[in-house]
Amino acid sequence: MTKKVIALFDVDGTLTVPRKAITQEMHDFMKELQKHVTVGIVGGSDYKKITEQLGACSDVPIEQMFKYVFSENGLVAFKDGAKLAETSFIEKIGEETYQDLTNHIFKLMADIRLPVKRGTFIEFRKGMINVSPIGRQCSQEERDAFDQMDKTAKIRPAMVSSLKEKFGDQLTFSIGGQISFDVFPTGWDKTYCLQFLEEYDEVYFFGDKTYQGGNDYEIFEAERTKGNTVTSPEDTKTQCTKIFMT
């Protein structure tokens, strides 16, 4: 009997440069790859942002481009172009805990001095919140500068450490991309999407933030997946060609 195999892909740093649109070359590669293996997308961003990135070279919705699309780690899930499920962060944790969480985040941010601070420090999504010390409305140049600063100053890891002390019994904090980290109920990491893939015998996952604390770590380490660490879209192409196309 032929095994049923699916390849799951992170978005930022895996299929695209962080927060950039997919290139025509990568778009064409993913289209070709689907002739060899079933493809699914699992991103921490919401549906709108994933659409902006992966739909840039196509005139059809992303849920029609791929067999599965899991936005917000699978809390908003699509299969064959139709919505499978949608789950609410605020319903899960409740308004009181949510306000305690956001108040603590703003207290931490008040003590952080950066070269610049812009707007949208907390972005509320359907299944999580995204926290950015610099603000998601920063320019690409400001984003890149913060990314370099964070590598040495460890601004995001320090915030996550403080939040874990207070809320770690019920919430998980996951660093991804260049400027932010995600907050979601424990168990709602990218492994959440695996419940929709029970029919598959092998699940390959490709992501760049596979280290502990990164937003690909849990699914990379999951017992059900064959985790693969990539360093760029070009590396993703190289690894997938070797595994699925030769």
Side-chain angles (χ1 to χ4, degrees):
M1 181 181 293
T2 302
K3 287 185 177 181
K4 293 194 69 175
V5 180
I6 185 169
L8 284 179
F9 295 87
D10 168 51
V11 180
D12 279 346
T14 301
L15 299 181
T16 75
V17 173
R19 289 303 302 130
K20 296 284 190 178
I22 194 169
T23 64
Q24 185 66 54
E25 180 183 5
M26 194 66 187
H27 170 85
D28 293 344
F29 176 80
M30 293 302 291
K31 191 173 181 179
E32 180 65 25
L33 179 65
Q34 291 180 84
K35 298 176 182 178
H36 302 267
V37 66
T38 301
V39 169
I41 306 300
V42 54
S45 294
D46 59 23
Y47 173 83
K48 181 176 182 292
K49 286 187 175 63
I50 293 178
T51 294
E52 289 171 354
Q53 292 179 264
L54 298 186
C57 299
S58 176
D59 56 1
V60 300
I62 57 170
E63 64 269 27
Q64 293 179 19
M65 294 167 56
F66 305 99
K67 177 79 171 179
Y68 295 89
V69 174
F70 302 115
S71 63
E72 301 187 49
N73 295 346
L75 300 175
V76 180
F78 294 87
K79 177 184 179 182
D80 293 327
K83 185 176 285 187
L84 273 176
E86 185 173 277
T87 309
S88 169
F89 172 83
I90 200 71
E91 290 176 10
K92 176 69 174 179
I93 71 168
E95 183 65 30
E96 185 173 351
T97 298
Y98 174 68
Q99 290 202 26
D100 288 344
L101 172 66
T102 54
N103 287 344
H104 191 70
I105 289 169
F106 281 125
K107 287 177 183 176
L108 293 174
M109 287 186 171
D111 293 329
I112 297 172
R113 174 68 65 177
L114 299 174
V116 299
K117 286 186 179 181
R118 298 298 179 246
T120 313
F121 300 99
I122 297 178
E123 182 176 80
F124 185 83
R125 299 174 181 172
K126 185 68 178 176
M128 65 179 72
I129 63 171
N130 178 266
V131 181
S132 174
I134 187 175
R136 296 196 64 87
Q137 293 182 20
C138 61
S139 67
Q140 186 62 50
E141 183 179 0
E142 291 163 344
R143 172 186 290 266
D144 293 341
F146 176 84
D147 183 34
Q148 291 303 311
M149 180 181 182
D150 193 46
K151 285 180 170 65
T152 55
K154 307 294 184 185
I155 296 162
R156 289 182 293 172
M159 290 186 68
V160 165
S161 179
S162 177
L163 289 164
K164 279 183 176 179
E165 288 183 16
K166 190 171 179 64
F167 302 98
D169 59 332
Q170 56 185 317
L171 297 174
T172 294
F173 306 85
S174 185
I175 296 173
Q178 292 180 294
I179 62 168
S180 64
F181 60 90
D182 296 327
V183 183
F184 44 84
T186 298
W188 286 18
D189 50 66
K190 287 183 178 176
T191 61
Y192 189 90
C193 76
L194 297 178
Q195 66 185 286
F196 303 111
L197 303 175
E198 293 296 332
E199 65 187 276
Y200 292 91
D201 302 300
E202 293 183 353
V203 180
Y204 287 79
F205 172 75
F206 299 84
D208 65 317
K209 297 289 191 304
T210 57
Y211 50 82
Q212 190 165 8
N215 64 356
D216 297 322
Y217 175 75
E218 289 84 4
I219 192 168
F220 174 79
E221 290 286 334
E223 188 174 325
R224 280 209 61 212
T225 66
K226 295 176 182 262
N228 298 267
T229 302
V230 300
T231 58
S232 66
E234 291 71 26
D235 187 34
T236 300
K237 286 173 58 179
T238 298
Q239 293 195 38
C240 286
T241 299
K242 182 177 180 180
I243 295 171
F244 302 116
M245 302 169 75
T246 57

